[in-house]
């Protein structure tokens, strides 16, 4: 029987994963080693009961008594806190979903890479901040990483059986987010609620706002470089409002292979869960005759400054990705808290990168977890100062 763990089981990716595990036989087909959640005890306990998980971990320590109560009468062990979360990742499982959002997903994902099997990677932040470390750890332990981000799953599927040396370019698509059709001067007044609605995908709030600002796409460009080893100048972004074509690979003979599918993450999750086999998945089938037309446009660099920042991060390399992720998270927190406006997020990140670059060391290799975590902490501290200065002026 295959053993599985799901980190971030209460989130959008995690719930999609739990749903597929249950549809594919649940506890009769999988031994669930560990499920983790941030704060949602009800969803975590529900998933643990349905999958008869051996361990359930809630990140928020104060919620341990609630979790214990919610699991009463089951054989599931309950634990809480960041340490318990990392320890859950030390328990070997054949297949692990890395579905925690943000830099918090780095340590559990990295520790899971140390026991072989497959890491299904939704947490793009870990590749952006510590790509070389993740890949080296996976190689050392013979662990396979399968991408779950829809664009990267699409690239992976388009590359199946192809020679990476014959690739001329890779294009990832972007819906353009909530404000694609807004006049640029209105963006400064965009509210958190407005930024939290996505035209096509149902996702967690943070990634939805990152889609509106294209910080999500910026991370995905860096993720493409880190995971597939493709040079930055060969990675392109294309606006595609329908979110049906997820990525395109262009080959040197002029041919392009792309991947189409309904915007439902359970496709990419299910692909990674069942790889190399394709199983029937409960996602909508595209009816292209009914869709009629698909649209494409080049992204406007003024509307989406995050894309330019991604280019700068790749040019610097090393720890710049860790600084970028951390500064972006601090800026996003400040926007959600109502402290800064939507259009102030990119300038915060840019200012943090420029101060760190002036201080030196930003391009040092992201070789150890400590160097990455130190850079993360430093970038958050600086971002805090930049945001304070902005809110006082
Ligand atoms: P989400 O906010 O819906 O869920 C995040 C999960 O992480 C939840 O279980 C939450 O409790 C947990 N979590 C949050 N902070 C934590 C912390 N500090 N410690 C421990 N656990 C914590 O997020 P999501 O939309 O499911 O995204 C998860 C990851 O997948 C992200 O990295 C995102 O970029 C990536 N991703 C998501 C989608 C999508 O459609 N939702 C698509 C592609 C990639
Ligand atoms: Mg994506």
């Amino acid at each position: 029987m295959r053993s599985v763990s799901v980190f971030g089981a209460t989130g959008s990716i995690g719930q999609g994963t739990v749903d597929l595990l249950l549809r594919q036989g649940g506890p009769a087909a999988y031994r669930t080693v560990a499920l983790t959640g941030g704060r949602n005890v009800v969803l975590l306990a529900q998933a643990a009961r349905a999958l008869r998980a051996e361990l359930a971990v809630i990140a928020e320590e104060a919620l341990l008594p609630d979790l214990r109560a919610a699991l009463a009468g089951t054989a599931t062990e309950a634990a809480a806190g960041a340490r318990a979360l990392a320890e859950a990742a030390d328990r070997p499982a054949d297949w692990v979903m890395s579905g925690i959002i943000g830099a918090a997903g780095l340590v559990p994902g990295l520790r899971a890479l140390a026991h072989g099997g497959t890491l299904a990677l939704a947490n793009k932040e870990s590749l952006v901040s510590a790509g070389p470390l993740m890949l080296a750890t996976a190689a050392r332990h013979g662990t396979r990483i399968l991408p779950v981000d829809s664009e990267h799953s699409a690239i992976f599927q388009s590359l199946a059986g192809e020679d990476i040396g014959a690739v001329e370019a890779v294009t990832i698509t972007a819906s353009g987010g909530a404000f694609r059709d807004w006049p640029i001067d209105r963006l400064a007044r965009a509210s958190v609620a407005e930024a939290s609605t996505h035209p096509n995908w149902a996702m967690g709030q943070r990634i939805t706002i990152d889609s509106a600002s294209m910080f999500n796409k910026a991370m995905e460009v860096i993720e493409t470089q880190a995971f597939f080893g493709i040079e930055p100048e060969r990675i392109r972004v294309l606006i595609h409002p329908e979110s049906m074509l997820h990525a395109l690979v262009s080959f040197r003979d002029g041919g392009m292979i792309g991947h189409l599918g309904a915007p439902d993450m359970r496709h990419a999750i299910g692909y990674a869960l069942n790889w190399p086999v394709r199983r029937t998945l409960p996602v909508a089938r595209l009816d292209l005759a009914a869709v009629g037309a698909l649209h494409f446009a080049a992204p406007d660099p003024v509307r989406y400054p995050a894309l330019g920042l991604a280019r700068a991060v790749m040019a610097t390399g090393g720890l710049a990705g860790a600084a970028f992720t951390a500064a972006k998270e601090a800026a996003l927190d400040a926007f959600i808290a109502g402290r800064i406006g939507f259009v102030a997020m990119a300038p915060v990140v840019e200012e943090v990168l420029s101060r760190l670059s002036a201080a030196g060391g930003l391009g040092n290799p992201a070789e150890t977890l400590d160097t990455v975590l130190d850079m993360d902490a430093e970038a958050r501290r600086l971002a805090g100062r930049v945001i304070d200065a902005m809110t006082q002026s």
Side-chain angles (χ1 to χ4, degrees):
M1 193 186 272
R2 237 175 142 203
S3 56
V4 298
S5 286
V6 183
F7 305 153
T10 58
S12 160
I13 291 289
Q15 287 285 294
T17 309
V18 169
D19 174 68
L20 288 183
L21 291 171
L22 290 172
R23 286 169 188 264
Q24 293 192 174
Y30 300 96
R31 178 169 80 84
T32 300
V33 175
L35 299 178
T36 81
R39 274 182 234 165
N40 195 326
V41 167
V42 172
L43 278 186
L44 181 61
Q46 217 170 56
R49 282 177 181 273
L51 287 167
R52 296 193 207 126
E54 292 167 10
L55 171 68
V57 181
I58 195 90
E60 184 84 45
E61 306 244 12
L63 293 172
L64 184 57
D66 293 7
L67 181 61
R68 286 215 172 99
L71 289 171
T74 71
T76 305
E77 188 188 332
R83 181 123 166 240
L85 218 129
E87 282 166 7
D90 291 340
R91 298 195 181 187
D94 300 324
W95 188 89
V96 175
M97 167 54 76
S98 172
I100 292 174
I101 189 136
L106 172 60
V107 170
L110 197 57
R111 285 173 76 149
L113 284 174
H115 52 62
T118 298
L119 185 74
L121 189 63
N123 178 271
K124 63 193 78 184
E125 295 85 351
S126 46
L127 272 184
V128 174
S129 57
L133 177 62
M134 294 284 290
L135 297 188
T137 308
R140 198 162 58 244
H141 299 279
T143 307
R144 181 181 299 281
I145 302 180
L146 290 176
V148 173
D149 215 335
S150 55
E151 297 76 4
H152 305 77
S153 175
I155 298 169
F156 187 82
Q157 295 182 50
S158 303
L159 280 173
E162 301 290 344
D163 170 12
I164 189 96
V167 173
E168 236 168 41
V170 165
T171 304
I172 59 176
T173 61
S175 68
F179 306 138
R180 183 185 62 224
D181 302 320
W182 280 34
I184 284 193
D185 54 13
R186 204 178 136 199
L187 291 179
R189 297 188 306 276
S191 71
V192 174
E194 286 165 330
S196 304
T197 39
H198 196 283
N200 305 327
W201 297 89
M203 307 186 286
Q205 184 193 34
R206 297 181 72 85
I207 182 173
T208 302
I209 300 174
D210 282 350
S211 297
S213 63
M214 278 236 205
F215 267 112
N216 181 51
K217 209 51 55 180
M219 286 198 287
E220 290 179 358
V221 168
I222 304 169
E223 186 187 6
T224 302
Q225 183 208 19
F227 188 73
F228 296 100
I230 295 167
E231 297 96 318
E233 50 288 2
R234 296 200 287 150
I235 305 171
R236 296 169 192 157
V237 175
L238 188 64
I239 302 258
H240 166 45
E242 292 87 4
S243 298
M244 290 175 185
L245 175 73
H246 306 299
L248 273 170
V249 178
S250 310
F251 294 92
R252 64 177 167 213
D253 59 2
M256 295 168 118
I257 297 183
H259 175 270
L260 289 149
D264 182 335
M265 283 308 293
R266 290 177 307 173
H267 168 76
I269 297 168
Y271 181 83
L273 178 60
N274 299 309
W275 183 90
V277 175
R278 283 189 188 269
R279 284 178 68 161
T280 305
L281 294 174
V283 300
R285 272 47 176 170
L286 278 188
D287 177 351
L288 289 176
V291 173
L294 298 178
H295 297 84
F296 301 98
D300 172 357
V302 178
R303 184 182 288 273
Y304 301 115
L307 294 177
L309 292 173
R311 300 277 159 201
V313 165
M314 290 188 294
T316 306
L319 292 166
F324 177 74
T325 308
K328 192 274 306 178
E329 287 186 9
L332 178 59
D333 288 338
F335 172 63
I336 293 175
R339 296 189 62 208
I340 62 172
F342 181 77
V343 294
M345 288 190 284
V348 168
V349 175
E350 187 173 12
E351 179 62 21
V352 170
L353 289 174
S354 118
R355 289 193 196 181
L356 285 167
S357 169
L362 193 56
N364 289 352
E367 272 170 351
T368 66
L369 181 60
D370 283 345
T371 53
V372 172
L373 296 179
D374 287 350
M375 180 51 80
D376 178 286
E378 175 66 1
R380 279 176 210 269
R381 202 175 55 77
L382 273 178
R385 281 210 218 141
V386 172
I387 292 163
D388 284 347
M390 264 181 179
T391 50
Q392 277 152 21
S393 62

